Amino acid sequence: MSTKVALVTGASSGIGAASVRALIQDGWTTYATGRRAEGLNTFVAEGIPTLLLDVTDASSMAAAVAQIEATHGTVDLLVNNAGYGLNGPVEELSVADIRQQFETNVFGLVRMCQLVLPGMRRKGSGRIINVGSIGGTFTAPGAGAYHASKWAVESFTDALRFEVASFGIAVILIQPTGVY
């Protein structure tokens, strides 16, 4: 049996860290990734593979996927977890801050999918789990930018699911509630 290989973005805390631990417990070779090395120190101390990966930096995303593919051939599972919530009235948020929200929550997620899909197609299998939010199903005052980004994740995930199913690739959206 070949090794199952997972890449988890935003693994330094919360859902990402829990995902890494669950996957390792299930026998996956799992790469914990994050923007800052210090956020991954616990994993390093435990001998869990880590990579620096910032979903707003195209070169770090490409380098992480390339390193895993060079070692294992492909990423079998991508957990697109990196993200954050921007809060404040739409009228008062800067366009730059809203762009950063979308760069992190949407465009980084999309680019990570694009980077792992060629290897998954070659293998004829794979799974992508996009971490959306229950906040992608409604909108609340004071969190319009966040909700809009999570609505976008829902739409991209739904489209991608149909686009890659015939290649043996499953695309899954999870919609957690508040995470602390």
Side-chain angles (χ1 to χ4, degrees), residues 72-83:
H72 302 282
T74 189
V75 173
D76 297 295
L77 169 64
L78 168 63
V79 179
N80 258 328
N81 172 68

Side-chain angles (χ1 to χ4, degrees), residues 5-28:
V5 179
L7 184 162
V8 180
T9 67
S12 59
S13 64
I15 292 170
S19 296
V20 168
R21 300 216 180 281
L23 288 163
I24 288 172
Q25 187 173 358
D26 197 41
W28 290 74

Side-chain angles (χ1 to χ4, degrees), residues 5 19 22 40 43 45 65 76 104 106 109 122 124 127 130 144:
V5 179
S19 296
L40 302 171
F43 295 125
V65 172
D76 297 295
T104 303
V106 180
L109 174 142
R122 280 191 304 275
R127 183 171 294 168
N130 288 334

Side-chain angles (χ1 to χ4, degrees), residues 144-165:
Y146 173 77
H147 288 287
S149 74
K150 292 303 183 173
W151 280 60
V153 167
E154 296 226 357
S155 182
F156 276 115
T157 300
D158 288 345
L160 184 60
R161 180 181 305 112
F162 293 113
E163 293 170 357
V164 300

Side-chain angles (χ1 to χ4, degrees), residues 14-15 176-180:
I15 292 170
T177 60
V179 178
Y180 302 97

Side-chain angles (χ1 to χ4, degrees), residues 75-174:
V75 173
D76 297 295
L77 169 64
L78 168 63
V79 179
N80 258 328
N81 172 68
Y84 73 98
L86 174 63
N87 293 308
V90 172
E91 177 183 14
E92 296 176 9
L93 297 174
S94 73
V95 171
D97 286 343
I98 295 169
R99 278 195 177 111
Q100 188 62 33
Q101 177 78 108
F102 274 76
E103 285 294 333
T104 303
N105 290 5
V106 180
F107 302 126
L109 174 142
V110 169
R111 185 62 186 140
M112 287 303 300
C113 291
Q114 292 173 333
L115 289 166
V116 301
L117 280 167
M120 290 179 176
R121 272 197 314 277
R122 280 191 304 275
K123 188 172 184 177
S125 67
R127 183 171 294 168
I128 296 171
I129 299 174
N130 288 334
V131 179
S133 168
I134 195 68
T137 64
F138 67 91
T139 302
Y146 173 77
H147 288 287
S149 74
K150 292 303 183 173
W151 280 60
V153 167
E154 296 226 357
S155 182
F156 276 115
T157 300
D158 288 345
L160 184 60
R161 180 181 305 112
F162 293 113
E163 293 170 357
V164 300
S166 65
F167 298 106
I169 301 165
V171 181
I172 299 151
L173 173 71
I174 64 169

